[in-house]
Protein backbone atom coordinates (compact mmCIF):
# COMPACT_ATOMS: atom_id res chain seq x y z
CA UNK A 1 0.00 0.00 0.00
CA UNK A 2 1.40 3.38 -1.05
CA UNK A 3 2.02 5.77 1.80
CA UNK A 4 3.04 9.37 1.27
CA UNK A 5 4.58 11.40 4.07
CA UNK A 6 5.47 15.06 4.15
CA UNK A 7 7.95 16.62 6.52
CA UNK A 8 7.72 18.99 8.25
CA UNK A 9 4.02 19.09 9.07
CA UNK A 10 4.25 22.82 9.69
CA UNK A 11 6.83 25.46 8.94
CA UNK A 12 7.12 29.16 9.74
CA UNK A 13 9.73 31.28 8.00
CA UNK A 14 10.42 35.01 7.64
CA UNK A 15 9.76 36.65 4.31
CA UNK A 16 12.56 36.34 1.79
CA UNK A 17 13.88 33.04 3.03
CA UNK A 18 14.41 30.08 0.71
CA UNK A 19 12.80 26.87 1.90
CA UNK A 20 12.45 23.19 1.07
CA UNK A 21 9.42 20.97 1.57
CA UNK A 22 9.86 17.22 1.55
CA UNK A 23 7.68 14.40 0.27
CA UNK A 24 8.44 10.69 0.70
CA UNK A 25 6.59 7.74 -0.80
CA UNK A 26 6.98 4.06 -0.02
CA UNK A 27 6.33 2.48 -3.42
CA UNK A 28 8.60 3.78 -6.17
CA UNK A 29 6.38 2.38 -8.94
CA UNK A 30 4.79 5.73 -9.67
CA UNK A 31 3.88 7.32 -12.97
CA UNK A 32 4.34 10.87 -11.82
CA UNK A 33 4.16 13.18 -8.84
CA UNK A 34 2.25 16.39 -8.49
CA UNK A 35 2.58 19.25 -6.02
CA UNK A 36 -0.51 21.18 -4.98
CA UNK A 37 -1.23 24.26 -2.93
CA UNK A 38 -4.33 24.56 -0.75
CA UNK A 39 -5.53 27.75 0.88
CA UNK A 40 -7.66 27.41 4.05
CA UNK A 41 -11.10 25.95 3.31
CA UNK A 42 -10.42 25.92 -0.42
CA UNK A 43 -9.68 23.42 -3.11
CA UNK A 44 -6.29 22.43 -4.45
CA UNK A 45 -4.32 24.29 -7.08
CA UNK A 46 -1.82 22.35 -9.14
CA UNK A 47 1.68 23.80 -8.95
CA UNK A 48 4.04 21.38 -10.66
CA UNK A 49 3.84 17.94 -12.19
CA UNK A 50 6.92 15.74 -12.62
CA UNK A 51 6.78 12.69 -14.82
CA UNK A 52 8.60 9.62 -13.49
CA UNK A 53 11.18 9.98 -16.25
CA UNK A 54 11.99 13.56 -15.25
CA UNK A 55 14.24 14.79 -12.48
CA UNK A 56 12.82 18.25 -11.92
CA UNK A 57 10.34 20.89 -12.98
CA UNK A 58 10.46 24.64 -12.51
CA UNK A 59 7.80 27.31 -12.46
CA UNK A 60 8.79 30.79 -11.41
CA UNK A 61 10.13 30.68 -7.87
CA UNK A 62 9.18 27.02 -7.50
CA UNK A 63 11.38 24.06 -8.29
CA UNK A 64 10.37 20.47 -7.70
CA UNK A 65 12.73 17.53 -7.91
CA UNK A 66 12.02 13.82 -8.01
CA UNK A 67 14.24 10.90 -7.02
CA UNK A 68 12.05 7.97 -7.83
CA UNK A 69 14.50 5.30 -6.73
CA UNK A 70 14.74 6.69 -3.22
CA UNK A 71 11.06 7.58 -3.05
CA UNK A 72 11.59 11.29 -2.49
CA UNK A 73 10.54 14.61 -3.91
CA UNK A 74 11.33 18.13 -2.76
CA UNK A 75 9.63 21.43 -3.46
CA UNK A 76 11.98 24.39 -3.30
CA UNK A 77 10.48 27.85 -2.86
CA UNK A 78 12.84 30.73 -3.46
CA UNK A 79 12.51 34.14 -1.85
CA UNK A 80 9.34 33.28 0.05
CA UNK A 81 6.53 35.81 0.31
CA UNK A 82 3.54 36.12 2.69
CA UNK A 83 1.31 35.13 -0.23
CA UNK A 84 3.01 31.73 -0.27
CA UNK A 85 1.37 30.90 3.06
CA UNK A 86 -0.77 27.83 2.47
CA UNK A 87 -0.74 24.07 2.85
CA UNK A 88 1.35 22.24 0.28
CA UNK A 89 0.47 18.69 -0.67
CA UNK A 90 2.21 16.20 -2.88
CA UNK A 91 0.41 13.38 -4.63
CA UNK A 92 1.78 10.34 -6.40
CA UNK A 93 -0.01 8.69 -9.27
CA UNK A 94 0.09 4.95 -9.65
CA UNK A 95 -1.81 2.48 -11.78
CA UNK A 96 -5.28 1.83 -10.55
CA UNK A 97 -8.00 -0.66 -11.28
CA UNK A 98 -8.87 -0.96 -14.95
CA UNK A 99 -8.66 2.36 -16.72
CA UNK A 100 -8.35 4.55 -13.66
CA UNK A 101 -5.29 5.82 -11.89
CA UNK A 102 -4.85 6.01 -8.17
CA UNK A 103 -3.81 9.25 -6.54
CA UNK A 104 -2.35 9.06 -3.09
CA UNK A 105 -1.94 12.35 -1.30
CA UNK A 106 0.62 13.26 1.28
CA UNK A 107 -0.17 14.54 4.72
CA UNK A 108 0.66 18.12 3.79
CA UNK A 109 3.00 20.85 5.06
CA UNK A 110 1.39 23.98 6.45
CA UNK A 111 3.60 26.93 5.55
CA UNK A 112 3.44 30.36 7.11
CA UNK A 113 5.60 33.17 5.78
CA UNK A 114 5.84 36.08 8.21
CA UNK A 115 6.64 39.71 7.55
CA UNK B 1 -13.22 29.57 -18.86
CA UNK B 2 -15.17 28.82 -15.69
CA UNK B 3 -13.49 26.57 -13.15
CA UNK B 4 -14.89 23.61 -11.27
CA UNK B 5 -18.02 24.60 -9.40
CA UNK B 6 -19.22 22.85 -6.28
CA UNK B 7 -22.51 23.51 -4.56
CA UNK B 8 -23.45 24.13 -1.89
CA UNK B 9 -20.41 25.69 -0.25
CA UNK B 10 -21.51 24.80 3.27
CA UNK B 11 -23.96 22.25 4.65
CA UNK B 12 -25.11 21.43 8.15
CA UNK B 13 -26.96 18.17 8.67
CA UNK B 14 -27.88 15.94 11.56
CA UNK B 15 -27.05 12.30 12.05
CA UNK B 16 -29.20 9.93 10.05
CA UNK B 17 -30.04 12.42 7.33
CA UNK B 18 -28.84 12.14 3.77
CA UNK B 19 -27.09 14.75 1.65
CA UNK B 20 -26.42 15.38 -2.03
CA UNK B 21 -23.46 17.40 -3.24
CA UNK B 22 -23.03 18.72 -6.76
CA UNK B 23 -19.99 19.27 -8.96
CA UNK B 24 -19.87 20.93 -12.36
CA UNK B 25 -16.56 20.28 -14.13
CA UNK B 26 -14.72 22.61 -16.44
CA UNK B 27 -16.44 22.81 -19.79
CA UNK B 28 -15.22 19.98 -22.02
CA UNK B 29 -13.89 17.88 -19.16
CA UNK B 30 -15.43 14.44 -19.01
CA UNK B 31 -13.89 13.07 -15.84
CA UNK B 32 -14.94 13.94 -12.31
CA UNK B 33 -13.39 12.47 -9.20
CA UNK B 34 -14.42 13.00 -5.59
CA UNK B 35 -12.29 13.26 -2.45
CA UNK B 36 -12.95 13.54 1.26
CA UNK B 37 -10.62 15.68 3.33
CA UNK B 38 -10.49 15.52 7.13
CA UNK B 39 -7.83 16.72 9.58
CA UNK B 40 -7.21 13.17 10.77
CA UNK B 41 -7.22 11.18 7.52
CA UNK B 42 -6.15 13.83 5.04
CA UNK B 43 -7.32 13.58 1.45
CA UNK B 44 -8.93 10.28 0.53
CA UNK B 45 -10.24 9.20 -2.85
CA UNK B 46 -13.95 8.40 -3.05
CA UNK B 47 -14.68 7.60 -6.70
CA UNK B 48 -14.12 8.66 -10.29
CA UNK B 49 -16.62 9.00 -13.10
CA UNK B 50 -15.98 9.28 -16.80
CA UNK B 51 -18.72 9.57 -19.40
CA UNK B 52 -21.39 8.62 -16.87
CA UNK B 53 -19.55 5.44 -15.80
CA UNK B 54 -17.87 4.85 -12.48
CA UNK B 55 -14.28 3.93 -13.23
CA UNK B 56 -12.84 3.51 -9.79
CA UNK B 57 -13.93 3.51 -6.20
CA UNK B 58 -12.09 4.09 -2.96
CA UNK B 59 -12.51 2.30 0.35
CA UNK B 60 -15.66 3.92 1.59
CA UNK B 61 -18.89 2.24 2.76
CA UNK B 62 -21.86 1.87 0.46
CA UNK B 63 -23.51 4.89 2.09
CA UNK B 64 -21.34 6.93 -0.24
CA UNK B 65 -22.52 6.88 -3.82
CA UNK B 66 -22.28 9.02 -6.89
CA UNK B 67 -23.38 9.49 -10.42
CA UNK B 68 -22.54 11.50 -13.48
CA UNK B 69 -24.92 13.00 -15.98
CA UNK B 70 -24.61 13.30 -19.73
CA UNK B 71 -23.40 16.92 -19.37
CA UNK B 72 -20.56 15.62 -17.14
CA UNK B 73 -21.99 17.20 -14.00
CA UNK B 74 -21.67 14.86 -11.07
CA UNK B 75 -23.42 14.37 -7.77
CA UNK B 76 -22.40 12.45 -4.73
CA UNK B 77 -24.81 11.24 -2.10
CA UNK B 78 -24.20 10.23 1.47
CA UNK B 79 -27.04 8.43 3.21
CA UNK B 80 -27.54 7.87 6.93
CA UNK B 81 -25.01 10.50 7.90
CA UNK B 82 -22.62 9.86 10.77
CA UNK B 83 -20.62 12.35 12.81
CA UNK B 84 -17.45 11.07 11.14
CA UNK B 85 -18.73 12.16 7.74
CA UNK B 86 -18.01 15.77 8.67
CA UNK B 87 -15.40 16.82 6.16
CA UNK B 88 -14.50 18.99 3.22
CA UNK B 89 -15.65 17.20 0.07
CA UNK B 90 -13.69 18.11 -3.01
CA UNK B 91 -14.28 17.26 -6.61
CA UNK B 92 -11.74 17.45 -9.39
CA UNK B 93 -12.17 17.42 -13.13
CA UNK B 94 -9.87 16.44 -15.93
CA UNK B 95 -10.20 16.26 -19.67
CA UNK B 96 -9.85 12.56 -20.30
CA UNK B 97 -9.73 10.92 -16.90
CA UNK B 98 -7.05 10.01 -14.44
CA UNK B 99 -5.61 7.25 -16.61
CA UNK B 100 -4.15 9.99 -18.79
CA UNK B 101 -2.47 11.55 -15.77
CA UNK B 102 0.00 8.70 -15.95
CA UNK B 103 1.77 9.71 -19.12
CA UNK B 104 0.73 13.24 -19.99
CA UNK B 105 1.00 16.62 -18.39
CA UNK B 106 -2.75 16.69 -17.93
CA UNK B 107 -3.62 18.03 -14.52
CA UNK B 108 -6.49 17.82 -12.10
CA UNK B 109 -8.51 20.95 -11.47
CA UNK B 110 -10.21 21.13 -8.09
CA UNK B 111 -13.32 22.94 -6.95
CA UNK B 112 -13.44 24.93 -3.71
CA UNK B 113 -15.27 22.11 -1.98
CA UNK B 114 -18.37 21.60 0.11
CA UNK B 115 -17.83 21.81 3.86
CA UNK B 116 -20.21 19.32 5.46
CA UNK B 117 -20.87 19.41 9.18
CA UNK B 118 -22.85 16.58 10.75
CA UNK B 119 -24.31 17.36 14.18
Amino acid sequence: KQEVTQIPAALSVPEGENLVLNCSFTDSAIYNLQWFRQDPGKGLTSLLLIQSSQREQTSGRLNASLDKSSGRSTLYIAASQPGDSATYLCAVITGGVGTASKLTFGTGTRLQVTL
Amino acid sequence: KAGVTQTPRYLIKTRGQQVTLSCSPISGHRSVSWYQQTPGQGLQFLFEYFSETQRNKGNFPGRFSGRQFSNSRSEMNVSTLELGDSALYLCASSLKGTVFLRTTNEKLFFGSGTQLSVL
Side-chain angles (χ1 to χ4, degrees):
Chain A
K1 179 189 172 186
Q2 179 75 267
E3 292 184 0
V4 183
T5 305
Q6 291 184 245
I7 295 173
L11 182 63
S12 181
V13 300
E15 182 180 13
E17 198 162 292
N18 302 324
L19 58 102
V20 174
L21 307 181
N22 297 291
C23 171
S24 301
F25 45 95
T26 55
D27 184 352
S28 62
I30 67 169
Y31 285 98
N32 54 47
L33 182 146
Q34 199 163 351
W35 281 93
F36 293 90
R37 168 191 172 133
Q38 184 176 30
D39 292 288
K42 298 286 183 65
L44 279 67
T45 300
S46 178
L47 296 173
L48 290 164
L49 184 149
I50 312 177
Q51 297 290 346
S52 61
S53 59
Q54 298 174 321
R55 297 283 296 187
E56 65 178 88
Q57 281 287 329
T58 298
S59 176
R61 295 182 293 108
L62 305 179
N63 176 278
S65 67
L66 174 64
D67 184 342
K68 189 178 160 185
S69 60
S70 67
R72 293 180 185 177
S73 176
T74 61
L75 178 67
Y76 175 82
I77 302 177
S80 59
Q81 302 170 358
D84 294 331
S85 299
T87 296
Y88 291 80
L89 297 111
C90 65
V92 296
I93 296 173
T94 55
V97 175
T99 56
S101 295
K102 182 175 171 61
L103 277 81
T104 305
F105 284 87
T107 47
T109 294
R110 190 170 68 254
L111 172 65
Q112 183 175 10
V113 180
T114 58
L115 292 171
Chain B
K1 202 175 195 182
V4 179
T5 304
Q6 289 189 247
T7 57
R9 186 71 181 89
Y10 300 95
L11 263 180
I12 300 176
K13 293 285 186 179
T14 57
R15 279 181 298 174
Q17 287 186 310
Q18 75 164 17
V19 67
T20 299
L21 313 181
S22 178
C23 173
S24 294
I26 291 173
S27 178
H29 283 195
R30 296 167 63 188
S31 170
V32 173
S33 48
W34 288 88
Y35 298 84
Q36 181 196 65
Q37 186 176 33
T38 59
Q41 299 296 318
L43 261 164
Q44 292 184 287
F45 169 73
L46 281 156
F47 27 65
E48 178 187 2
Y49 286 88
F50 182 84
S51 293
E52 302 178 66
T53 301
Q54 187 180 88
R55 271 190 171 171
N56 198 7
K57 191 176 190 304
N59 296 324
F60 279 81
R63 300 186 296 108
F64 292 81
S65 63
R67 59 177 175 170
Q68 186 179 34
F69 302 95
S70 58
N71 62 358
S72 294
R73 188 178 71 87
S74 178
E75 289 182 347
M76 70 163 280
N77 184 275
V78 187
S79 62
T80 318
L81 284 167
E82 301 176 359
L83 294 179
D85 297 333
S86 295
L88 179 66
Y89 290 88
L90 295 166
C91 79
S93 79
S94 64
L95 190 61
K96 299 180 182 178
T98 59
V99 66
F100 287 93
L101 299 179
R102 301 182 193 180
T103 54
T104 70
N105 289 324
E106 183 175 345
K107 297 176 181 176
L108 283 179
F109 294 86
F110 282 81
S112 295
T114 294
Q115 183 68 53
L116 172 64
S117 298
V118 182
L119 307 178

